[in-house]
Amino acid sequence: MATLDFGLARWDLGEGLRRFDLAWGMALRDLQARYARSFLGPAWITLTMSIYVGVVGLVFGALFGAPVREMVPWIALGMIGWTFLSNVLIESSNVLELNRNLMLQARMSVSTLVLMVVLRNVLIVGHHLAIYVVLVAIGFVQPSWTTLLVVPGLLLAGAFAFGLGLVAAVLGARYRDLPPLFASIVTLGLLSTPVMWRPDDLKRFPGIADYNPLAHLIAIFRDPMLGLPLNLVSLSWAAASALAVLTLGALVLARGRRTITFWI
């Protein structure tokens, strides 16, 4: 019968929060190492996304009959939010295997490594926000005081991502087939979440957007950035989703933390 070691899970989570500075330093060093000999550094990621957003905005704007100045900001901010969540899921699924020496020799907590993944992708989001600055500069977006309401959206997205990372890290260590499966799920999720299309564009099956928690998580980030009021329904969905995933992450950690060292 499966046993839940809440004491060990509590230690792991507490260690992750206590050593936040370590996770932050590891995230910075990892990002610097990835682009150590690159001329543009992390700007390459932002440049690639800018080109992608521009092309997709033109195509989907023509497809749905929407003005390009509306579609491009919608897709740009949606892709920033989606990339953050999907990267955390995929990267967390093999973070324990990639850092097995730290797990085995330094007794590194799972939470610290997952937090490193989350913070690394927060830094990447910071680079991507250069796209938003350009959109504001060319008049595609008109920021207002409601833009400040993005703060609760960022906090809830971060909490959701951390819980998601815990689930992916433990299950990815136990089942090696899951990382490629997660990559496939990300592709399907992108198509079924209003990132490159708007909920109003759906002629049938509006529930695809209405009951999709990822849609609401992205909405509470994207809407304030577009100068739109914060949707309380989306905020409620996002808060409930973050709480549910954090709880699931804690349960999965309690179930697998003791045997993780044998799996990796």
Side-chain angles (χ1 to χ4, degrees):
M1 181 177 178
T3 58
L4 301 176
D5 193 334
F6 290 107
L8 190 55
R10 191 184 310 113
W11 170 85
D12 192 291
L13 292 169
E15 189 73 2
L17 294 176
R18 186 178 69 83
R19 307 185 72 179
F20 181 90
D21 57 336
L22 174 62
W24 176 255
M26 291 172 66
L28 280 174
R29 286 194 297 273
D30 184 74
L31 201 58
Q32 291 169 352
R34 288 189 181 192
Y35 301 98
R37 289 177 294 275
S38 173
F39 179 70
L40 292 178
W44 274 117
I45 310 175
T46 302
L47 180 61
T48 302
M49 179 172 285
S50 300
I51 296 172
Y52 178 84
V53 166
V55 173
V56 173
L58 289 172
V59 172
F60 276 69
L63 182 64
F64 294 116
V68 172
R69 63 182 299 116
E70 293 181 7
M71 287 301 296
V72 168
W74 177 274
I75 294 174
L77 293 170
M79 282 301 301
I80 291 173
W82 179 261
T83 301
F84 170 69
L85 295 174
S86 61
N87 281 353
V88 169
L89 173 65
I90 294 173
E91 293 174 11
S92 295
S93 65
N94 60 8
V95 69
L96 301 184
E97 182 182 357
L98 294 177
N99 294 276
R100 66 188 307 270
N101 290 335
L102 291 175
M103 291 288 298
L104 297 176
Q105 299 174 15
R107 207 187 177 203
M108 180 73 68
S109 70
V110 174
S111 301
T112 299
L113 293 175
V114 170
L115 191 57
M116 175 197 69
V117 172
V118 174
L119 292 174
R120 182 173 63 212
N121 283 284
V122 167
L123 291 170
I124 293 175
V125 168
H127 285 99
H128 287 339
L129 288 180
I131 300 174
Y132 179 74
V133 174
V134 172
L135 293 174
V136 172
I138 62 178
F140 277 27
V141 177
Q142 301 294 330
S144 64
W145 287 108
T146 59
T147 303
L148 297 176
L149 295 176
V150 73
V151 174
L154 293 174
L155 293 175
L156 287 174
F160 181 91
F162 180 68
L164 186 68
L166 287 175
V167 175
V170 176
L171 294 183
R174 177 64 179 87
Y175 304 103
R176 297 299 175 87
D177 293 331
L178 284 184
L181 176 62
F182 287 151
S184 300
I185 291 174
V186 165
T187 301
L188 294 175
L190 177 61
L191 296 176
S192 59
T193 303
V195 174
M196 296 183 292
W197 48 270
R198 298 171 300 181
D200 293 341
D201 296 323
L202 288 178
K203 305 303 181 184
R204 301 172 62 189
F205 310 117
I208 294 175
D210 293 342
Y211 304 111
N212 184 343
L214 297 177
H216 295 289
L217 279 163
I218 291 176
I220 62 173
F221 163 75
R222 176 168 51 196
D223 289 355
M225 298 287 280
L226 292 176
L228 301 174
L230 187 62
N231 189 314
L232 294 181
V233 173
S234 292
L235 183 62
S236 300
W237 265 90
S241 300
L243 180 61
V245 173
L246 282 171
T247 302
L248 179 61
L251 290 173
V252 171
L253 185 62
R255 172 63 184 90
R257 182 61 182 87
R258 186 172 295 278
T259 53
I260 279 176
T261 53
F262 298 103
W263 297 340
I264 60 176

